[in-house]
């Protein structure tokens, strides 16, 4: 029940975030069941409803506190049943659900994982949730009566019977794994290798390399978080066309913030120290980041303004990339599903899930208002070159919800140089 609390994390798949549920259940299993009283029971039920009704924006610590509370409340209701709750728990339908609970648990995990992959978002719509629960219930009923019950009725399981059951399991397991591996290795019809920069140091969570025209001296530093990392092909392509080279330094999950070395990732602190102390080596700075994330944090706007002020105070020519729009679906996932025969109307999917990009739009609006206060900054806006459905000639431009893949970055560069020049 705690999983119904909406958070931006897919905590359902993270066992270390679910460990407390197992711990609560394990500890309470050693306690004797005692008769509860009405006031306490109703208070617990009201507290559970309150936890479930808290809006996403008001959750404490991404909802973890509320999830712990619901787990504790559920355990207490079972440990101290009142007459009304006891009647519910011993009702024939409650007992039937209890008997099916393990099968239901196994089936709902698979079904929810598939549905979330299909719609490329962790929070399912009401329609898909109801459909997933129905399919899981049907699967649970079938497996309970076809598998669980027959096995339970076997008394004094012999070695021969055990080996037969094991053989059936292996017979089903091997073709399933073979099918999954075959599906995983199916061609995507996209060969990204022609677009990839031929330097392994330009990729990974931490990238530090030289890109552009290698015959030119380096006077440019391109830096940022993963939203600079996905522009590596763009910067490299444009640099070659415009005859300049650049040092490219980016760390995933780490915006460049001047004089802030308190990040939990030491690679991030090292990156920020480099940017804070080595700007004098460069004439021009290219800066990119997931601005919506930074501006949504405490003191984020101040951190961004302090960073821009610092770079400009060094008399550097500053180019700031506007963040690319967020897609409501993963481009590569949709591409894989379409190749496997799924009929997906991307335009309809885009319209129906538009509210999921609201956070990006709000952050982008705030970022653009800040940039207006700095007329000396050159804004690099590539959004006009990104199709509304995030595909070009049937090929996805995005790797996930908000990161370009190698083809996407390269494609933007090709379109950009037809009309504009980056370093003026």
């Amino acid at each position: 029940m705690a999983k119904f609390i909406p958070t931006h994390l897919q905590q359902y798949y993270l066992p270390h975030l679910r460990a407390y549920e197992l711990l609560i259940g394990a500890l309470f299993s050693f306690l004797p069941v005692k008769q509860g009283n009405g006031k306490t029971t109703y208070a617990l039920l009201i507290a559970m409803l309150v936890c479930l009704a808290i809006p996403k924006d008001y959750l404490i610590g991404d909802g973890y506190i509320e999830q712990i509370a619901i787990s504790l409340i559920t355990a207490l209701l079972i440990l101290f049943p009142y007459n009304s709750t006891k009647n519910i728990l011993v009702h024939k339908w409650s007992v039937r659900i209890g008997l099916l609970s393990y099968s239901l648990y196994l089936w709902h995990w698979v079904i929810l994982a598939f549905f979330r992959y299909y719609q490329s978002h962790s929070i399912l719509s009401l329609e898909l949730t109801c459909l997933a629960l129905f399919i899981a219930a049907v699967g649970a009923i079938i497996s309970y009566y076809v598998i669980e019950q027959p096995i339970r009725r076997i008394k004094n399981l012999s070695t021969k019977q055990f080996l037969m059951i094991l053989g059936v399991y292996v017979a089903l397991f091997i073709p399933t794994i073979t099918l999954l591996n075959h599906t995983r290795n199916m061609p995507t019809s996209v060969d990204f290798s022609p677009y990839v920069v031929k330097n392994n140091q330009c990729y990974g969570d931490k990238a530090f390399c030289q890109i552009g025209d290698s015959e030119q001296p380096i006077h440019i530093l391109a830096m940022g978080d993963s939203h600079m990392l996905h522009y590596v092909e763009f910067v490299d392509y444009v640099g070659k066309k415009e005859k300049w080279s650049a040092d490219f330094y980016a760390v995933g999950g780490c915006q460049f913030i001047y004089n802030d070395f308190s990040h939990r990732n030491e690679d991030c602190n090292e990156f920020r120290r480099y940017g804070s102390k080595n700007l004098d080596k460069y004439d021009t700075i290219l800066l990119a980041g997931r601005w919506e994330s930074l501006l949504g944090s405490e003191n984020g706007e101040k951190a961004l303004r302090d960073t821009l002020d610092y770079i400009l105070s060094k008399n550097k020519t500053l180019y700031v990339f506007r963040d690319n729009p967020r897609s409501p679906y993963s481009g590569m996932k949709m591409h894989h599903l379409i190749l496997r025969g799924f009929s997906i109307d991307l335009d309809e999917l885009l319209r129906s899930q538009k509210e999921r990009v609201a956070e990006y739009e709000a952050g982008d609006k705030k970022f653009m208002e800040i940039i207006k206060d700095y007329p000396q900054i050159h804004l690099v806006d590539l959004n006009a070159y990104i199709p509304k459905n995030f595909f070009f000639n049937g090929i996805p431009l995005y790797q996930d919800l908000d990161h370009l893949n190698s083809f996407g970055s390269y494609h933007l560069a090709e379109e950009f140089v037809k009309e504009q020049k980056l370093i003026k």
Side-chain angles (χ1 to χ4, degrees):
M1 186 173 289
K3 300 301 115 185
F4 282 93
I5 292 181
T7 77
H8 71 277
L9 296 172
Q10 296 190 34
Q11 77 282 2
Y12 181 86
Y13 301 102
L14 304 177
H16 68 285
L17 297 178
R18 304 191 67 193
Y20 62 82
E21 298 176 21
L22 301 175
L23 178 62
I24 290 172
L27 293 177
F28 273 68
S29 66
F30 289 99
L31 301 177
V33 176
K34 296 182 179 180
Q35 178 69 28
N37 61 73
K39 291 183 178 180
T40 302
T41 299
Y42 295 135
L44 289 172
L45 290 172
I46 292 173
M48 179 182 289
L49 292 175
V50 169
C51 289
L52 291 171
I54 296 176
K56 177 182 177 181
D57 294 336
Y58 295 93
L59 293 174
I60 302 172
D62 291 326
Y64 301 137
I65 303 301
E66 290 80 359
Q67 291 178 34
I68 292 175
I70 286 183
S71 298
L72 283 170
I73 291 170
T74 303
L76 289 170
L77 288 173
I78 295 173
L79 190 63
F80 301 106
Y82 184 57
N83 290 336
S84 55
T85 56
K86 185 186 294 184
N87 292 336
I88 294 174
L89 293 175
V90 300
H91 191 275
K92 63 179 181 179
W93 283 107
S94 298
V95 173
R96 289 175 181 175
I97 293 174
L99 293 173
L100 295 173
S101 61
Y102 187 67
S103 294
L104 191 61
Y105 168 77
L106 295 178
W107 277 101
H108 95 287
W109 193 96
V110 177
I111 301 301
L112 287 180
F114 174 80
F115 274 63
R116 282 169 171 163
Y117 183 92
Y118 178 80
Q119 75 157 20
S120 190
H121 199 275
S122 60
I123 302 177
L124 298 180
S125 64
L126 178 61
E127 295 83 1
L128 285 180
T129 300
C130 293
L131 179 59
L133 291 175
F134 174 76
I135 296 174
V138 171
I141 291 171
I142 293 173
S143 61
Y144 176 76
Y145 286 105
V146 174
I147 299 175
E148 281 191 53
Q149 285 295 88
I151 291 177
R152 285 178 177 175
R153 284 196 291 266
I154 297 177
K155 296 181 179 179
N156 301 320
L157 186 66
S158 66
T159 302
K160 182 178 179 180
Q161 290 174 317
F162 173 77
L163 291 176
M164 288 179 59
I165 294 173
L166 186 62
V168 171
Y169 171 79
V170 172
L172 294 173
F173 181 76
I174 292 178
T176 301
I177 294 299
T178 304
L179 177 62
L180 290 175
N181 285 333
H182 172 71
T183 303
R184 181 182 301 172
N185 296 324
M186 284 179 65
T188 64
S189 81
V190 182
D191 180 11
F192 290 112
S193 60
Y195 316 109
V196 173
V197 175
K198 302 302 185 288
N199 187 338
N200 291 335
Q201 293 181 336
C202 294
Y203 295 96
D205 290 335
K206 176 185 177 182
F208 192 11
C209 61
Q210 179 185 346
I211 55 177
D213 188 345
S214 59
E215 296 182 359
Q216 303 299 321
I218 298 175
H219 299 294
I220 299 172
L221 172 63
M223 61 179 178
D225 57 10
S226 62
H227 285 232
M228 175 56 85
L229 282 168
H230 70 178
Y231 283 131
V232 62
E233 293 84 6
F234 174 88
V235 177
D236 182 64
Y237 183 96
V238 175
K240 286 182 170 66
K241 288 291 184 179
E242 298 183 359
K243 302 299 181 183
W244 50 260
S245 65
D247 278 339
F248 186 89
Y249 197 174
V251 176
C254 176
Q255 297 102 343
F256 174 70
I257 300 176
Y258 168 65
N259 208 30
D260 180 355
F261 314 120
S262 60
H263 200 278
R264 63 181 179 276
N265 183 355
E266 189 52 38
D267 285 341
C268 179
N269 296 325
E270 180 183 342
F271 158 67
R272 289 175 177 176
R273 278 192 288 268
Y274 182 91
S276 298
K277 298 177 181 179
N278 292 278
L279 291 189
D280 291 335
K281 295 168 56 177
Y282 307 95
D283 299 325
T284 302
I285 306 298
L286 307 180
L287 185 65
R290 187 182 173 190
W291 306 123
E292 165 248 321
S293 174
L294 176 61
L295 294 175
S297 63
E298 186 178 359
N299 299 322
E301 180 175 345
K302 183 179 183 302
L304 177 58
R305 288 185 179 276
D306 288 347
T307 300
L308 299 177
D309 290 337
Y310 170 72
I311 297 174
L312 294 172
S313 71
K314 292 286 190 175
N315 296 318
K316 306 301 175 184
T317 304
L318 177 58
Y319 292 79
V320 179
F321 285 72
R322 181 183 184 183
D323 203 4
N324 58 295
R326 181 179 297 178
S327 170
Y329 49 75
S330 169
M332 291 305 298
K333 281 185 179 180
M334 292 299 107
H335 183 60
H336 286 304
L337 290 171
I338 291 171
L339 286 179
R340 284 155 177 74
F342 287 88
S343 178
I344 298 175
D345 186 338
L346 293 177
D347 292 330
E348 175 59 29
L349 189 61
L350 191 66
R351 286 190 294 270
S352 65
Q353 301 186 18
K354 189 175 180 179
E355 71 278 0
R356 290 177 178 164
V357 300
E359 288 184 6
Y360 158 77
E361 293 175 348
D364 181 62
K365 181 180 179 180
K366 192 173 183 179
F367 167 76
M368 294 298 287
E369 291 173 352
I370 293 173
I371 293 299
K372 288 180 182 178
D373 296 336
Y374 295 88
Q376 64 274 51
I377 289 179
H378 301 274
L379 178 66
V380 183
D381 188 352
L382 304 176
N383 292 359
Y385 303 106
I386 300 177
K388 290 185 179 180
N389 67 357
F390 306 95
F391 276 70
F392 177 75
N393 289 341
I395 302 176
L397 301 182
Y398 278 30
Q399 179 67 27
D400 47 31
L401 299 180
D402 60 351
H403 292 95
L404 295 162
N405 55 40
S406 297
F407 169 75
S409 184
Y410 192 92
H411 170 72
L412 293 190
E414 286 184 313
E415 297 301 311
F416 179 85
V417 298
K418 292 177 183 178
E419 303 176 357
Q420 300 188 54
K421 186 176 182 180
L422 182 60
I423 305 299
K424 301 177 177 64

